[in-house]
Amino acid sequence: MMRNVFLTGGSRGIGAAAVLALARAGYNVAFTYHAHPEAAEAVAAQARALSPAGTFLPICADAGDSAQVCAAVAQAEEALGSLQVLVCNAGIAQQKLFTDTTDEDWHRMMAVDLDGAFYACRAVLPGMIRQKYGRIVLISSMWGQTGGSCEVAYSAAKAGLIGLGRALAKEEGPSGVTVNIIAPGVIDTDMMASFTDEDRAALAEETPVERLGTAEDVARAIVFLCDENAGYITGQVLGVNGGLVI
Ligand code: NDP
């Protein structure tokens, strides 16, 4: 079986770690980015070094734009052939009081963090259904499970991803496509750039395994759920959070 992946947001953080972990596991990966072409090229170069026989293709596409996501999936299929795996990882976060949240803040959050997964799933599914095989992994958040103060828009979008994934798992199970959701806890990436060292120490102390998560912690869970042998796991929310949410 050829193993071709389309992953959104592969230029940094969890997405970049996932591209490299998938490269090590023998997959070809087309991945999107939005604002950092050099970072995306660097990830592709690292992946090629890890897997010289593999194909790694960075594609510029705004996850919140339906036409750009469709065009990116078409470009990936053209370059790699049919896709077996989709990882919807691209995301933005925003910390703001709910009462200060503007229409623009809300709609941009929904566009990137929720609509983006809808566009990507809808674009890849016809090919997966034709093959009667597929693996879809959606990157939500523990805030999608529990709700985060001052992150209402983010929590709503991430909760939406859980609903999307569970419903889609029921609809696509008979077509051989599994759909699972990963809900990371506190993962040390650029998304946490605004946190001070004291914030980090306090979060680590609150976490049962006493450390923050790494992008690689989440990447390993992604590779596990993408595996052919994970076919009896679908519609599940896998927390990768060091025990912060149980
Ligand atoms: P980073 O900010 O480190 O990376 C975000 C990635 O998404 C980058 O590759 C970025 O591309 C891409 N991206 C952002 N906006 C868009 C867009 N409009 N279109 C396409 N790509 C876009 O974030 P993380 O790696 O930390 O987060 C990855 C996912 O994990 C997100 O969905 C996030 O919500 C989720 N998550 C993260 C947690 C954490 O603690 N870090 C906790 C829970 C969930 P570019 O480089 O071009 O900007």
Side-chain angles (χ1 to χ4, degrees), residues 9-15 32-36 61-64 89-92 108 112-113 139-142 154 158 184-187 189-192:
S11 47
R12 293 179 292 116
I14 292 167
T32 64
Y33 62 93
H34 187 225
H36 296 92
D62 180 353
N89 164 78
I92 52 171
R108 185 61 185 158
V112 176
D113 286 23
I139 309 303
S140 175
S141 161
M142 67 175 176
Y154 183 75
K158 293 297 185 178
V186 183
I187 310 299
T189 68
D190 294 349
M191 205 170 255
M192 289 193 55

Side-chain angles (χ1 to χ4, degrees), residues 10-28:
S11 47
R12 293 179 292 116
I14 292 167
V19 171
L20 299 181
L22 289 161
R24 273 188 214 99
Y27 294 85
N28 302 311

Side-chain angles (χ1 to χ4, degrees), residues 27 34 46 57 75 86 88 90 113 128 141 145 154 160 166 179 186 199 202 211 244:
Y27 294 85
H34 187 225
Q46 273 180 275
L57 178 69
Q75 193 182 337
L86 167 66
C88 294
D113 286 23
M128 289 181 175
S141 161
Q145 298 174 291
Y154 183 75
R166 286 176 166 156
V179 187
V186 183
D199 295 335
R211 66 170 176 87
L244 197 51

Side-chain angles (χ1 to χ4, degrees), residues 144-185:
Q145 298 174 291
T146 67
S149 170
C150 296
E151 298 204 56
V152 173
Y154 183 75
S155 301
K158 293 297 185 178
L161 277 179
I162 293 174
L164 188 165
R166 286 176 166 156
L168 195 59
K170 290 185 181 174
E171 190 166 324
E172 301 304 341
S175 299
V177 179
T178 65
V179 187
N180 289 291
I181 303 106
I182 292 178

